[in-house]
Amino acid sequence: MSIELDCYRSMLRIRRFEETVLDEFKRGVFSGTTHTSMGQEANAVGVISQLNADDVIVTNHRCHGHYLAYGGDMRALFAEMMGRSTGVCGGRGGSQHIHWRNLYSNGVQGGIAPIAVGMALAEKRKGNSTMVVVFIGDGTFGQGVLYEAFNMASLWSAPVLFVVEHNGIAQTTPTSQALAGSIPARFAAFDIESVELDTSDVIPISTAASNLIASVRDCRRPAALILNTARLGPHSKGDDTRSVETLQALREQRDPISILGNRLEPGDADAITGEVVTEVKLAFEQALADPYPQTPMEAAQ
Amino acid sequence: MTTVLEALNCALLAAMDADENVILLGEDILDPYGGAFKVTRGCSEAHPDRVILTPISEAGLAGIASGMALRGLRPVLEIMFGDFTTLLADQIINHMTKFRWMYNDSVDLPLVIRTPMGGRRGYGPTHSQSLEKLYLGVPGLTVLAPVSLAILPAGRDGPGPLLQQAILGTNSPVLFIENKLQYLQTVSGLSDLSEFDVRVEFSADDTAKLYPIYRLTIKGAPEPKITLAAYGAMADLTREAVIRLAYEKEIFSELVLPTRLAPFRLEGILDSVGHTGALLTVEEGTRTLGWGAEVLARVSEIPGIGLKRSARIAAQDLPVPASPVLEASVLPQVDTIIEQVQKMV
């Protein structure tokens, strides 16, 4: 039961963080852009909770959930997105370019995949048991470099787990209008074992991730976890072209927080909710009071 | 007599001997083939576990090398032809050169990409280009181009030391621009340069003195009337032009040869122009928006520099033709330099 409570707390922290981000964007607290992962929290928590401390996480533009599930400081991510000096990267990176401990994110589709493979090969060469997890989406499959990464990961037996968060929509483009063939067949073509789930329940995701992570770690071979999931929010801040009915149905059927919350004792869920709301509010207020970086920034001439 | 090719080959072997984190990746680089231009010859025999033969996947390879570098290795990536660097542009511009800076200087990424540019071998439009200008001005990327000179004592400079230092001594990405014709060029020491007075200088920001700027003037000649600036393989052609201008036309010039093209610095060139008042840049890439354009723009921005005459020599803004006759008409030649200098002094 405590695992379920931990997962619930971890997912709710991500949800509340991102709800705050979208709300406060409207008030001008944040600048630039952001990509929230509401609805996909079970993927972040389910996979990352199964990693060892030394393992490496490579993630993408939709990375807040991965960072928070990994244990990244909430205030520092708020501050990063507010452009403050206390941000994860001192305000240089913003929402989608963060690095903390062994987590690395970048905002360009596809390019992170070979980087993750290279990291895995480096760790393998060191002779330790560290492995790499890289999060990609269904939209990433449009990038050719991804297939170069699959090929070399398999060819050179890189200990890397490709986690596909298949939310069915790339920005506004449905997968059916962008992807021919199947995702499992793509991995099969490169002799990479894959497991496909169609759930937003964090518990089976954790179990599948645990098994695959053990396999990658022990066999020093790549594997793939394909998570059919649902993006409950917009791609970015307000650019959702799906119908109200579609979104409503997704929220009713595919919200990982409701799915797990319905199994918890009401008192437990309420207590966690109260704590998380307080934590997020405090982190937000602290970040808001943090200083901006020193300017002007100058390149050497 | 060592060629540039031999010097680079020795540097690779020495770097691998010096640091077990140095790993070579590239297409067709295993012995006995040793790479399309043989720069990696002997490396896989000496270190079989550290030379990785790769598929034809330049973008993926650049990513893999970046990942290795982020996790503590010192990868050296060979891109068979400089023309193919366009395939890894996203990895260079949006990934490897961004990480250190956008992660607030919290990571190192020691990675050298070696590649030969240049024409004059009849390889045609997609195997003859000098594309380095596309990568000048990418923040976070060091671009180096060796010249076929080794002047300082104790083997401190030259194509080999420049490469070895890039591999072992830097913690951010380096694009190392080689040249197909330059591979066959002999590396000249002071004793081979009896016609010249040679000075070796370093930019003010290059406190470790890694990236020499060579300044050559004709020995015993009057004050030079014009500054010629060039890099890479064009250093050899321009040096020949300087000699012929002196001996055939009695026109005396100073040749300034930087080995670091980015980050961009003007030392050496500026000092020389301050004396000559005239500047001709020479490069093999296409003329428009190139290295020479930036050099001239920056020099002209300096108040009181006294630049009276300036010009660029570069390839015509055309693809490089395969026919030797056409290729020679598109790429700058020694005579092109001589004719231009005669117009300027």
Side-chain angles (χ1 to χ4, degrees), chain A residues 102 105-106 123 125-126 148, chain B residues 49 60 71 91 94 103 106:
Chain A
N102 281 348
S105 85
N106 200 2
E123 295 303 327
R125 200 163 269 275
K126 292 176 196 168
E148 298 184 17
Chain B
D49 59 329
R71 300 300 297 177
Q91 285 292 336
N94 286 322
Y103 293 163
S106 63

Side-chain angles (χ1 to χ4, degrees), chain B residues 88-161:
Chain B
L88 45 133
D90 177 56
Q91 285 292 336
I92 293 176
I93 293 169
N94 286 322
H95 293 82
M96 67 178 72
T97 58
K98 288 291 188 292
F99 288 127
R100 175 199 275 264
W101 189 89
M102 76 185 185
Y103 293 163
N104 210 14
D105 301 323
S106 63
V107 297
D108 287 332
L109 205 156
L111 165 59
V112 175
I113 302 168
R114 300 179 27 251
T115 195
M117 298 282 184
R120 306 176 202 277
R121 288 181 64 143
Y123 289 170
T126 66
H127 288 61
S128 307
Q129 299 166 90
S130 294
L131 296 181
E132 57 272 14
K133 74 173 181 183
L134 301 180
Y135 305 99
L136 302 178
V138 175
L141 183 66
T142 299
V143 182
L144 304 179
V147 295
S148 60
L149 299 175
I151 304 300
L152 298 173
R156 276 175 49 213
D157 67 330

Side-chain angles (χ1 to χ4, degrees), chain B residues 4 8 144-148 158-160 162 176-178 182 231-233 259:
Chain B
V4 171
L8 297 174
L144 304 179
V147 295
S148 60
L162 192 72
F176 194 87
I177 302 295
E178 300 169 8
Q182 192 188 36
Y231 66 86
T259 54

Side-chain angles (χ1 to χ4, degrees), chain A residues 44-199:
Chain A
V45 172
V47 172
I48 292 171
S49 63
Q50 304 306 310
L51 294 174
N52 290 349
D54 290 343
D55 290 337
V56 178
I57 299 165
V58 184
T59 166
N60 52 60
H61 60 296
R62 212 175 293 290
C63 60
H64 308 153
H66 305 137
Y67 167 86
L68 292 170
Y70 182 49
D73 182 60
M74 190 180 285
R75 170 187 175 177
L77 187 55
F78 271 138
E80 182 65 30
M81 296 169 65
M82 294 175 187
R84 309 300 168 115
S85 65
T86 51
V88 187
C89 295
R92 290 185 180 184
S95 169
Q96 54 186 334
H97 313 107
I98 56 176
H99 167 244
W100 180 70
R101 295 195 180 167
N102 281 348
L103 179 142
Y104 307 79
S105 85
N106 200 2
V108 182
Q109 282 297 311
I112 60 168
I115 290 169
V117 174
M119 290 174 159
L121 292 168
E123 295 303 327
K124 184 179 181 181
R125 200 163 269 275
K126 292 176 196 168
N128 55 30
S129 65
T130 302
M131 59 166 289
V132 178
V133 171
V134 55
F135 288 92
I136 58 177
D138 46 288
T140 320
F141 284 83
Q143 292 289 358
V145 75
L146 189 66
Y147 304 94
E148 298 184 17
F150 290 169
N151 183 50
M152 289 185 274
S154 184
L155 190 66
W156 298 330
S157 294
V160 58
L161 178 65
F162 297 99
V163 176
V164 183
E165 295 191 75
H166 182 353
N167 60 21
I169 188 163
Q171 193 148 338
T172 65
T173 303
T175 311
S176 60
Q177 287 179 248
L179 200 67
S182 85
I183 292 176
R186 283 165 161 76
F187 288 109
F190 294 99
D191 196 21
I192 295 173
E193 177 198 359
S194 72
V195 170
E196 185 173 19
L197 294 185
D198 189 2
T199 180

